[in-house]
Amino acid sequence: MDERNVFGRGKVILLGEHAVVYGRPALAAGIERGVRARVAGPGEMRLAIEPWGREVVPGVEDDELSRAFAAVIAEQRGAVPVRIDVEVELPAGAGLGCSAALGVAVVRALAQAAGEAPADEEVARRALSWERVFHGNPSGVDNTMAAHGGVAVYRKGEPLEPIRPKKPLRLVIGDSGESASTRVMVESVARQHERDRPRTEKTLDAITALVQNAKLAIEDGDIRALGQLMDMNQLLLGSLMLSTEALEEMCAAAREAGAAGAKLTGSGGGGCMIALVADDDVGQRVREAIERKGRRAFLAEAR
Ligand code: PMV
């Protein structure tokens, strides 16, 4: 069995979250952790998410997972009733694209059961209907990165633009442990956009400038510059009221321990932060500094 067919990658947004909802580019990267799905055999259509102790059947209206499952089954031509078992290696609702990784893994499992191996673009497209159940107005960055991986510039409605980092992008990912709802955070920015469009647009434009420079920094292998751009992105996310005390404390601890830059990743309002580090030694120190604040952290490479 081709393992890629049954894996959905977790992702981090290096820069540009929220702005991406407004048609701006974002820089995103896949990480090694994700969701693995296995077709356990024929039978009634069923999705078993072991770590959450959930058995999901399609068509239960007041259950989001069930509706999302039904949505991707509807996308699969000639869907074969199977039981799908999944293993989740990501925290849920933490900004690492857990739900999209789950959607992509389920899409691939359904395709495999139907004897099909769709291209990544098609997998991403089908998984968007999964994402829509959870997040009213998703930009599509999560499902796209969950299907493709790599480091890339994503822009709504445009083909993914893969970029080749000159140096490996080593990250420490810290989890604030506070759960955040992407839907709520996206709605909060939408309210600011409605109330004060010129100011919000200016902030989104400033984020876009950072994303464009960050792309160049990645291509040049300039970790220091990329870190500074991430710090600036964090300030702008803070000005949109997306950061929290815990995230700020973790970012500060990471910078003090030698990170080149740090910011929240994903929707904010809780969830995870990322710190960019020059090498694994700095990475370990940053991880320990975050853990000393009582939060979980792990090292990851953007890929
Ligand atoms: O928190 P996550 O992993 O769902 O990421 C959300 C990214 C946003 O830009 C805030 C929303 C979106 O749809 O792109």
Side-chain angles (χ1 to χ4, degrees), residues 127-203:
L128 184 62
S129 59
W130 170 286
E131 279 291 273
R132 282 211 176 99
V133 173
F134 299 100
H135 305 320
N137 177 28
S139 68
V141 63
D142 283 18
N143 52 301
T144 302
M145 293 311 296
H148 289 263
V151 181
V153 176
Y154 174 83
R155 203 172 187 142
K156 216 170 168 174
E158 286 185 16
L160 194 66
E161 186 193 335
I163 52 179
R164 201 175 286 236
K166 191 162 177 189
K167 285 198 189 140
L169 300 179
R170 292 195 180 82
L171 301 168
V172 178
I173 300 180
D175 187 351
S176 70
E178 302 166 329
S179 74
S181 157
T182 302
R183 187 193 288 268
V184 170
M185 301 319 288
V186 168
E187 281 170 3
S188 149
V189 176
R191 271 197 304 279
Q192 297 175 54
H193 194 252
E194 256 167 48
R195 274 194 218 138
D196 191 347
R197 200 183 165 110
R199 182 191 66 84
T200 312
E201 281 287 319
K202 262 191 206 152
T203 306

Side-chain angles (χ1 to χ4, degrees), residues 12-295:
V12 291
I13 297 184
L14 295 169
L15 286 98
E17 47 274 274
H18 287 282
V20 70
V21 175
Y22 296 83
R24 267 80 168 182
L27 256 168
I31 56 173
E32 299 92 334
R33 294 188 188 200
V35 176
R36 262 164 233 289
R38 194 170 62 89
V39 176
E44 219 183 309
M45 224 21 134
R46 208 167 269 274
L47 173 61
I49 311 174
E50 248 176 66
W52 304 347
R54 289 282 323 262
E55 277 254 338
V56 182
V57 291
V60 181
E61 260 317 295
D62 60 359
D63 177 4
E64 285 190 332
L65 265 173
S66 168
R67 288 210 309 279
F69 190 29
V72 289
I73 293 168
E75 294 277 358
Q76 177 63 55
R77 204 174 326 143
V80 177
V82 280
R83 190 193 130 104
I84 300 170
D85 288 344
V86 299
E87 262 174 63
V88 184
E89 303 164 348
L90 298 165
L96 300 183
C98 180
S99 85
L102 184 54
V104 161
V106 172
V107 163
R108 287 195 165 130
L110 288 168
Q112 190 182 68
E116 211 199 340
D120 291 346
E121 288 77 23
E122 175 58 14
V123 171
R125 193 197 62 74
R126 292 183 197 174
L128 184 62
S129 59
W130 170 286
E131 279 291 273
R132 282 211 176 99
V133 173
F134 299 100
H135 305 320
N137 177 28
S139 68
V141 63
D142 283 18
N143 52 301
T144 302
M145 293 311 296
H148 289 263
V151 181
V153 176
Y154 174 83
R155 203 172 187 142
K156 216 170 168 174
E158 286 185 16
L160 194 66
E161 186 193 335
I163 52 179
R164 201 175 286 236
K166 191 162 177 189
K167 285 198 189 140
L169 300 179
R170 292 195 180 82
L171 301 168
V172 178
I173 300 180
D175 187 351
S176 70
E178 302 166 329
S179 74
S181 157
T182 302
R183 187 193 288 268
V184 170
M185 301 319 288
V186 168
E187 281 170 3
S188 149
V189 176
R191 271 197 304 279
Q192 297 175 54
H193 194 252
E194 256 167 48
R195 274 194 218 138
D196 191 347
R197 200 183 165 110
R199 182 191 66 84
T200 312
E201 281 287 319
K202 262 191 206 152
T203 306
L204 299 176
D205 286 343
I207 292 175
T208 304
L210 298 178
V211 168
Q212 282 158 346
N213 286 329
K215 176 182 177 254
L216 300 178
I218 291 172
E219 286 169 341
D220 290 348
D222 192 341
I223 300 296
R224 228 174 88 92
L226 180 60
Q228 286 170 348
L229 293 161
M230 288 168 63
D231 285 346
M232 289 187 250
N233 193 170
Q234 173 63 14
L235 284 174
L236 293 171
L237 290 165
S239 80
L240 292 169
M241 295 184 291
L242 296 163
S243 195
T244 65
E245 230 174 271
L247 288 167
E248 290 300 330
E249 187 185 60
M250 293 161 79
C251 289
R255 291 184 197 110
E256 254 167 56
K263 61 181 278 294
L264 66 83
T265 189
S267 69
C272 287
M273 50 73 73
I274 51 173
L276 182 70
V277 293
D279 58 45
D280 283 347
D281 287 345
V282 182
Q284 294 298 352
R285 285 204 292 279
V286 168
R287 182 175 61 77
E288 283 161 16
I290 294 171
E291 284 172 352
R292 274 198 298 277
K293 298 286 173 196
R295 318 285 171 180

